[in-house]
Amino acid sequence: MTVALASLSLIWANLSRSRLRFALTAFAIFIAFFLFGILQSFERGLNAGADLAAADRLIISNRINFTQPLPIAYVNRIAAIEGVRQVSHQSWMGSYYQEPRNFIFGFAIDPQSYLQIYADDIALPPEQAAAFIQNRRGALVGEDVAKQYGWQIGDLIPISSNIWQRADGSNVWDLVIEGIYRAGRANIAANTLYLHYDYLNEARTTARDFTGTISFTTLDPAQNDAIAQAIDSRFQNSAYATETRTEEAFNRSFVEQLGNIGLIVLSVSGAAMFTILIITGNTMALSIRERTGEIGVMKVLGFDARMVFALILAESLALALIGGLLGVAAAQMMARFISTVPGFPFPLGFTSGIWLSSFGLMLALGLITGLLPAFAAYRLKPTAAFARA
């Protein structure tokens, strides 16, 4: 125990010998791991929809592009296909509250079937669900957006659309909040507004009797591919050909519209780590050169080569861990803060996997930057050390 404490004291004394150099190097490592943690959490947050997708849930979109519509008549025809359990649909609203900058994720849906299909994602008291289904002008809002605007059950809210226009020239739909739902699972945001498709459809001047995408569940996930092929074959010669994918594949394709997020994260993180590798390696090499005479004295006093090797390697690891752990901890706090910002579209997924991968990178950084200086000190003869000092 005494030896261990003495070793730790010696390691810290060597690290803090040049306080400015130690602080700058630790700060550089801090920044690198802070960036790594934030970027990883963004990637996991963006991919949460795909990672948490239900195995038996599929999405049908227009084959041209998911922004193109599908006839609402497809819903009943799809429901009649063998192996299909439940069918619903959703139309993008392009909604905002009062001003265009107050953007809201909004969808026009068939309330009863939609709440059945997405029961795992939307946690809602039964009485609120019933009230939403019964009121044609009713709205269902997530608790995040409700907190953002101070909405309560029973409030009358004007929701505008930058896509749809009413016959009277207005783009405003007056809605009554009948339910405020919570996210049914972790890493899913409760920031969406739902209204009745019929209320939207009867008043808009264009695209009547069309919907955006169609969702359905299957009786057996093993039959997903066969059912998807049957649906796409049925509509392949129509003016509105379909593309049927699992919810996971659909959500991943949606994220890919933003670019190759994984490659971006890897490139930025890799550049930061490579830079820190050079900085830390140079710092350790310079530190050992400055202490050549001291290393010779340590060996004369009885420190064997293996002990010197271990102390210098531990010094490098300690430097990487101090900066790295602080950086990842700061990234986690920042991710939690960003996730609570009103209007932020998704919670950042800061998982234990980020901590594990970060810790592995810290160990790798400490070992790579410490091995060469430690090995040089291991081989250093006392006579050579005094000659250089």
Side-chain angles (χ1 to χ4, degrees):
M1 185 67 177
T2 304
V3 174
L5 289 175
S7 298
L8 289 175
S9 177
L10 184 58
I11 291 169
W12 174 248
N14 287 328
L15 276 176
S16 58
R17 175 187 301 257
S18 175
R19 301 201 174 194
L20 179 61
R21 183 166 62 199
F22 167 70
L24 291 175
T25 306
F27 181 71
I29 296 172
F30 169 90
I31 293 297
F33 279 92
F34 176 80
L35 287 174
F36 177 78
I38 285 292
L39 290 171
Q40 287 289 324
S41 64
F42 264 95
E43 182 185 21
R44 281 164 171 74
L46 284 170
N47 289 319
D51 296 336
L52 298 174
D56 64 343
R57 202 155 58 206
L58 284 80
I59 309 292
I60 305 170
S61 60
N62 192 301
R63 183 174 295 177
I64 296 174
N65 191 282
F66 66 85
T67 61
Q68 298 300 308
L70 293 172
I72 195 67
Y74 280 14
V75 173
N76 290 333
R77 296 175 65 182
I78 291 165
I81 293 176
E82 184 179 356
V84 173
R85 184 172 58 182
Q86 295 173 311
V87 185
S88 191
H89 58 92
Q90 50 277 321
S91 296
W92 179 249
M93 188 68 180
S95 52
Y96 61 90
Y97 177 59
Q98 296 179 334
E99 299 179 18
R101 63 187 179 89
N102 296 330
F103 168 78
I104 298 173
F105 288 95
F107 290 92
I109 62 171
D110 174 65
Q112 190 161 5
S113 60
Y114 193 89
L115 291 179
Q116 290 174 347
I117 289 179
Y118 290 93
D120 292 341
D121 297 338
I122 299 175
L124 185 68
E127 63 275 11
Q128 293 184 21
F132 172 54
I133 292 170
Q134 292 169 8
N135 186 358
R136 193 180 185 87
R137 294 175 59 202
L140 176 64
V141 299
E143 63 177 1
D144 295 343
V145 71
K147 290 178 182 177
Q148 180 180 355
Y149 296 112
W151 292 341
Q152 302 291 332
I153 300 291
D155 285 355
L156 178 66
I157 56 172
I159 296 298
S160 303
S161 171
N162 56 23
I163 299 175
W164 312 115
Q165 190 174 48
R166 300 170 66 97
D168 60 6
S170 169
N171 67 337
V172 178
W173 273 259
D174 292 321
L175 304 173
V176 178
I177 298 179
E178 297 288 3
I180 298 177
Y181 75 89
R182 295 178 294 101
R185 292 182 286 173
N187 296 325
I188 295 179
N191 61 352
T192 305
L193 177 145
Y194 298 104
L195 69 153
H196 284 238
Y197 170 82
D198 290 342
Y199 180 43
L200 169 71
N201 190 53
E202 70 184 4
R204 62 182 173 180
T205 56
T206 58
R208 283 188 178 175
D209 299 327
F210 280 84
T211 189
T213 56
I214 298 172
S215 303
F216 68 95
T217 55
T218 58
L219 295 173
D220 181 6
Q223 298 299 315
N224 285 352
D225 290 341
I227 295 171
Q229 292 175 9
I231 292 172
D232 292 341
S233 297
R234 176 165 296 190
F235 301 113
Q236 66 180 351
N237 295 321
S238 72
Y240 301 94
T242 61
E243 182 177 11
T244 305
R245 289 167 284 183
T246 62
E247 185 180 40
E248 178 183 2
F250 179 83
N251 289 341
R252 290 198 187 282
S253 69
F254 187 81
V255 172
E256 287 170 2
Q257 299 291 322
L258 304 175
N260 192 332
I261 303 299
L263 179 61
I264 294 172
V265 170
L266 180 63
S267 300
V268 175
S269 300
M273 291 300 168
F274 180 74
T275 303
I276 293 306
L277 186 67
I278 295 174
I279 293 173
T280 308
N282 182 67
T283 298
M284 288 301 302
L286 180 61
S287 176
I288 298 306
R289 281 198 299 271
E290 291 176 348
R291 288 152 45 197
T292 300
E294 294 180 15
I295 293 172
V297 171
M298 290 174 64
K299 289 189 174 183
V300 169
L301 292 176
F303 285 83
D304 63 22
R306 289 175 298 178
M307 175 63 75
V308 172
F309 179 90
L311 285 173
I312 293 175
L313 190 60
E315 187 179 326
S316 178
L317 286 168
L319 180 61
L321 288 171
I322 290 171
L325 291 173
L326 289 174
V328 179
Q332 184 175 32
M333 289 188 288
M334 179 61 73
R336 288 177 178 174
F337 172 76
I338 293 174
S339 297
T340 62
V341 172
F344 194 77
F346 55 88
L348 299 187
F350 208 99
T351 62
S352 58
I354 296 178
W355 274 104
L356 290 174
S357 57
S358 298
F359 189 72
L361 285 173
M362 293 173 212
L363 293 180
L365 176 64
L367 290 172
I368 292 172
T369 57
L371 277 174
L372 286 178
F375 188 67
Y378 175 85
R379 296 182 60 189
L380 185 65
K381 302 295 184 184
T383 53
F386 296 140
R388 295 181 196 174

